[in-house]
């Protein structure tokens, strides 16, 4: 009698583990599907930092439009409440078929691949954009490296 119950409990436990793994895989699949549906084929900024290490709220992905302003003020397209970022930090503008980034005379500067922006810079797939404590990866889904 004891062997019968232990066998049932063993198989029930295995079934619970399989259901748990299945649900995890389903959530990962839906998350990836939702993310690709959100971005589509447009270029975007992907947060490189771990969100939980930053003392303010920030999104993982920012799809880019024709003109995007970045800064601490709420009237920016991308608002980042980092105290080391200026009210109007930078602007990203679509010029024909590529994006340009320009620092808006910010106090601490905007950096592309570790170099401070002095003038307008053309963004290329894989560029790392750093402002304050935040670092983004520029991803151009059309022109992949």
């Amino acid at each position: 009698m004891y062997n019968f119950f232990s066998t049932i409990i063993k198989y029930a436990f295995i079934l619970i583990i399989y259901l748990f793994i299945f649900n995890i895989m389903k959530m990962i699949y839906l998350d990836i599907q939702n993310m690709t549906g959100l971005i589509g084929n447009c270029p975007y900024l992907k947060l490189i930092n771990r969100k939980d290490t930053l003392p303010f709220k920030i999104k993982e992905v920012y799809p880019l439009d024709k003109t995007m302003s970045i800064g601490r003020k709420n009237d920016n397209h991308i608002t980042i409440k980092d105290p080391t970022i200026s009210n109007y930090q930078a602007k990203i503008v679509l010029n024909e078929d590529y994006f340009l980034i320009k620092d808006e005379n910010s106090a601490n500067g905007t950096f592309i691949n570790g170099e401070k922006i002095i003038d307008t810079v053309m963004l290329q797939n894989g560029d790392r954009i750093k402002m304050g404590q935040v670092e983004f990866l520029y991803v151009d889904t059309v022109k992949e490296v």
Side-chain angles (χ1 to χ4, degrees):
M1 188 72 163
Y2 173 74
N3 287 336
F4 177 72
F5 284 121
S6 66
T7 304
I8 289 176
I9 291 172
K10 179 172 60 172
Y11 285 117
F13 185 70
I14 291 171
L15 180 65
I16 289 171
I17 290 174
Y18 277 121
L19 287 173
F20 179 75
I21 292 171
F22 173 75
N23 282 330
I24 296 270
M25 290 173 50
K26 181 180 170 185
M27 288 180 357
I28 291 171
Y29 171 77
L30 291 174
D31 192 39
I32 291 170
Q33 186 180 27
N34 187 21
M35 189 170 159
T36 56
L38 171 72
I39 297 166
N41 252 355
C42 69
Y44 60 94
L45 297 179
K46 167 82 174 97
L47 182 68
I48 294 176
N49 305 70
R50 287 185 37 193
K51 281 175 66 170
D52 57 350
T53 61
L54 298 172
F56 46 86
K57 289 185 179 181
I58 191 166
K59 294 181 185 177
E60 291 274 347
V61 175
Y62 292 94
L64 295 178
D65 204 359
K66 292 180 181 179
T67 301
M68 304 289 290
S69 59
I70 304 170
R72 207 171 58 236
K73 292 279 244 180
N74 289 332
D75 59 344
N76 286 294
H77 296 96
I78 300 174
T79 303
I80 303 170
K81 294 296 184 180
D82 180 351
T84 60
I85 289 180
S86 296
N87 289 335
Y88 301 100
Q89 178 78 27
K91 188 173 278 189
I92 298 176
V93 180
L94 179 64
N95 184 10
E96 295 178 19
D97 61 342
Y98 53 89
F99 281 93
L100 302 170
I101 186 167
K102 180 182 185 301
D103 185 76
E104 296 287 290
N105 297 320
S106 62
N108 295 323
T110 303
F111 298 82
I112 301 289
N113 300 323
E115 293 185 29
K116 188 172 183 176
I117 295 177
I118 296 170
D119 201 7
T120 303
V121 175
M122 183 175 89
L123 288 173
Q124 297 179 6
N125 193 19
D127 279 347
R128 296 170 76 105
I129 303 166
K130 183 162 176 41
M131 47 190 80
Q133 302 174 55
V134 179
E135 190 167 7
F136 291 107
L137 179 70
Y138 172 72
V139 180
D140 191 341
T141 55
V142 178
K143 302 176 203 115
E144 297 206 10
V145 176

